[in-house]
Amino acid sequence: MTILIALFVIGWVAASVLGTLAYFRGEQSKPIHERNWRSESFAKLAKSITGTEIDYSERTPAYRMDAFASSTLPN
């Protein structure tokens, strides 16, 4: 019974680590909303989890015409 519980715990930890890595790798590559473009906290967290920097040359803004993009962020 102890072996079964240990296998369950190890499997759960492995799945959660892989899921976290997949989430952050996906978030690093998909289009991003302008309000999150300069999110230093996400960049730091993603780098600490995945070990890679965000390549902003590959990311594109997700929404061009919305109320937030009107005048909130400078160019």
Side-chain angles (χ1 to χ4, degrees):
M1 187 65 160
T2 305
I3 294 173
L4 202 56
I5 292 172
L7 285 174
F8 176 76
V9 169
I10 290 169
W12 184 83
V13 169
S16 64
V17 167
L18 288 174
T20 302
L21 283 171
Y23 170 77
F24 278 99
R25 297 288 284 175
E27 287 295 316
Q28 286 177 325
S29 62
K30 72 181 191 179
I32 185 171
H33 193 277
E34 205 170 332
R35 71 174 169 257
N36 298 326
W37 192 266
R38 296 183 184 98
S39 176
E40 290 298 321
S41 60
F42 176 80
K44 288 179 186 176
L45 184 61
K47 184 175 189 286
S48 68
I49 290 175
T50 62
T52 58
E53 293 274 344
I54 297 173
D55 184 8
Y56 286 102
S57 65
E58 291 182 8
R59 296 192 83 174
T60 57
Y63 307 105
R64 285 306 214 176
M65 302 302 288
D66 66 351
F68 185 82
S70 62
S71 65
T72 308
L73 297 174
N75 288 335

